[in-house]
Amino acid sequence: MAGLRPSTFEIPTGELRDIVRRSREVVLLAAVTGAITGLFVRFFEYFVAEVLFEQLIHGPWYLGIVMPGLGLVASAILLQTLGNGASPATSDEYLRAFHDPEYPLRPRAFWGRITAAVSTLGSGGAMGLEGPSMYAGSAFGAMIQRRLPTAFRGADHRTLLVAGAAAGVAAIFKAPATGAIFALEVPYRDQMARRMLLPALVASASGYLVFVFLSNTEPIFSFEEENRIASFGYRDLIGAVLIGVFCAFGARMFSRAIRWGKAFTLQPVVWRVFVAASALGVVFLIGRVLTGESITLGSGFEVFFWLGEEHHLLLLVAVFFLRMAATTFTLAGGGVGGVFIPLVVGGAIVGRAVGDLVDPLDPTLYVLLGIAAFLGAGYRVPLAAVMFVAESTGQPGFIVPALFAAVAAELVMGDVSVTTFQRTPEQDR
């Protein structure tokens, strides 16, 4: 029988011990990377959201006219000086480093981008904290792996890069499974980076645990009704498909606007900051007149409270375009932040609009389905989007209709994405 055994199954004892030892080291270092990332993200979120942005949102309303523009000015200065001319990219930096082993995540550019993110987001820029969080985690992972060549001899250069990115997303959203899936799914279209699954899961878990130890375990979205149980009917599944179609068209517009904003950052810095700051002031005033609230400031979590009230369909459409414009001009002015949450907000608005038509008595389900469809279509991450809805609401019962919405949006979306650094399986080969 021994003679019939294929030689490819014969692993020398020393080599087997080396594989086991290296696997343990990968898991341990992934956990350390996740813990460091979780600690950093918690302090980053506290300073930006709970110190700077809280003072802005609760201060005099007219500050919303000038503060986002001043934040762009400070961001441009920080990127040019502290960052040594670094670009405002965050999530795209992770994707570039993932696909190019020679692409460096330099410490000076890192600190330039992080301080610029504090300036952009703390002053009301319409972008999310998840971009800098993901970038920070991937940078930490890459730095650790570069300094441990012996432990990773023969290992993939992206192992801790992916682990850190997963931990950053997991921490900022308090959603460990979402962090792992997003970090693995976003580099490709129609494919996942499966080989880094174990370190991504470990880092997500450790990053999440450190973050919630310093904050809390409450889901980032909650319902007014206590102990609400997710429920849906066949009509809701049809509504989910309808939401997926509308969200795909919305995400296509959003993606093109984001790409225009990124291209505009190549303009001379004084000109682009002036145009973006002026446009943000106008967008803020329009939103203030229409809603009476500072609806265009910040990543958009305040929009969810606004969506809890009754609004005319045309007003929902107007707020959707105002939020898209605010994010686009923040990005065009060189602001540093993520577009994950702006996509979430856009999907929530579209979902609420469709929900008012399909089931006006209970639009909550449709808001969440819009989030899954719009996020999945915009970033081309349907699995991560569905998991995000389940984890961020504490309602896993929404997974089935969310899958319908995400698949419908994915089919209609085509090849459009908010990032140009994703690859298809054919390009990777």
Side-chain angles (χ1 to χ4, degrees):
M1 293 297 292
L4 298 177
R5 185 174 58 192
S7 59
T8 54
F9 290 162
E10 296 179 359
I11 303 177
T13 304
E15 183 179 343
L16 181 60
R17 275 199 305 266
D18 184 61
I19 292 174
V20 172
R21 177 186 60 81
R22 196 161 59 236
S23 299
R24 288 199 303 265
E25 291 171 346
V26 167
V27 171
L28 176 61
L29 290 170
V32 172
T33 301
I36 294 172
T37 302
L39 184 65
F40 176 87
V41 170
R42 174 53 187 153
F43 283 106
F44 174 73
E45 185 230 21
Y46 173 79
F47 188 66
V48 170
E50 300 182 30
V51 176
L52 297 178
F53 186 69
E54 279 293 313
Q55 293 183 9
L56 173 62
I57 203 69
H58 294 300
W61 69 268
Y62 51 80
L63 290 178
I65 303 175
V66 297
M67 286 304 296
L70 293 177
L72 292 181
V73 173
S75 298
I77 295 173
L78 289 167
L79 288 171
Q80 190 64 36
T81 55
L82 183 59
N84 195 29
S87 73
T90 53
S91 300
D92 283 351
E93 287 294 289
Y94 163 65
L95 295 178
R96 292 182 70 178
F98 182 94
H99 292 299
D100 184 0
E102 303 300 324
Y103 186 77
L105 297 178
R106 301 185 186 279
R108 186 168 177 180
F110 169 81
W111 290 114
R113 290 188 176 101
I114 293 300
T115 53
V118 171
S119 172
T120 300
L121 303 172
S123 60
M127 302 184 76
L129 278 71
E130 80 291 333
S133 300
M134 183 179 190
Y135 168 65
S138 62
F140 290 147
M143 292 175 190
I144 291 173
Q145 188 158 348
R146 280 201 306 270
R147 284 161 175 75
L148 295 166
T150 303
F152 282 83
R153 186 175 297 139
D156 195 309
H157 77 280
R158 300 168 293 189
T159 302
L160 293 187
L161 177 87
V162 173
V169 176
I172 198 65
F173 293 137
K174 294 187 281 189
T178 300
I181 295 174
F182 183 78
L184 295 171
E185 195 175 18
V186 73
Y188 298 104
R189 298 175 196 165
D190 307 321
Q191 184 176 317
M192 290 183 67
R194 296 180 298 274
R195 286 181 295 175
M196 276 72 76
L197 177 60
L198 181 59
L201 289 172
V202 172
S204 291
S206 62
Y208 164 80
L209 290 173
V210 171
F211 185 91
V212 299
F213 177 77
L214 297 173
S215 57
N216 58 69
T217 59
E218 292 296 321
I220 62 174
F221 300 124
S222 59
F223 303 104
E224 293 182 0
E225 305 89 341
E226 294 185 0
N227 301 320
R228 172 170 179 164
I229 300 175
S231 61
F232 59 90
Y234 290 110
R235 181 178 64 174
D236 297 321
L237 296 181
I238 297 174
V241 174
L242 186 63
I243 285 177
V245 173
F246 277 102
C247 283
F249 286 118
R252 289 175 71 94
M253 288 189 294
F254 203 103
S255 299
R256 289 191 172 92
I258 292 298
R259 292 195 178 197
W260 175 86
K262 291 179 179 180
F264 195 76
T265 59
L266 300 177
Q267 297 290 325
V269 61
V270 175
W271 170 246
R272 65 174 165 83
V273 170
F274 172 77
V275 170
S278 302
L280 287 173
V282 172
V283 169
F284 172 81
L285 285 174
I286 295 174
R288 189 80 190 185
V289 170
L290 291 179
T291 67
E293 300 183 26
S294 303
I295 205 75
T296 63
L297 293 184
S299 58
F301 282 109
E302 287 73 18
V303 175
F304 288 94
F305 296 103
W306 183 80
L307 288 175
E309 305 170 359
E310 293 293 329
H311 301 291
H312 194 276
L313 179 61
L314 291 179
L315 183 57
L316 291 173
V317 173
V319 170
F320 172 83
F321 281 103
L322 286 171
R323 285 294 313 180
M324 183 171 68
T327 299
T328 300
F329 284 115
T330 301
L331 187 61
V336 180
V339 296
F340 188 115
I341 284 297
L343 289 171
V344 166
V345 174
I349 298 171
V350 174
R352 175 59 194 264
V354 176
D356 284 348
L357 298 175
V358 178
D359 188 2
L361 297 179
D362 185 16
T364 302
L365 171 64
Y366 293 87
V367 170
L368 299 175
L369 297 183
I371 291 173
F374 208 99
L375 173 61
Y379 253 127
R380 313 309 302 274
V381 288
L383 291 179
V386 172
M387 185 57 66
F388 173 75
V389 168
E391 287 192 295
S392 62
T393 62
Q395 295 286 334
F398 287 139
I399 288 179
V400 173
L403 284 171
F404 275 76
V407 169
E410 182 73 12
L411 293 175
V412 177
M413 191 65 182
D415 294 328
V416 183
S417 172
V418 296
T419 176
T420 58
F421 292 100
Q422 285 179 325
R423 290 188 182 182
T424 62
E426 291 76 16
Q427 289 173 321
D428 196 50
R429 284 193 292 269

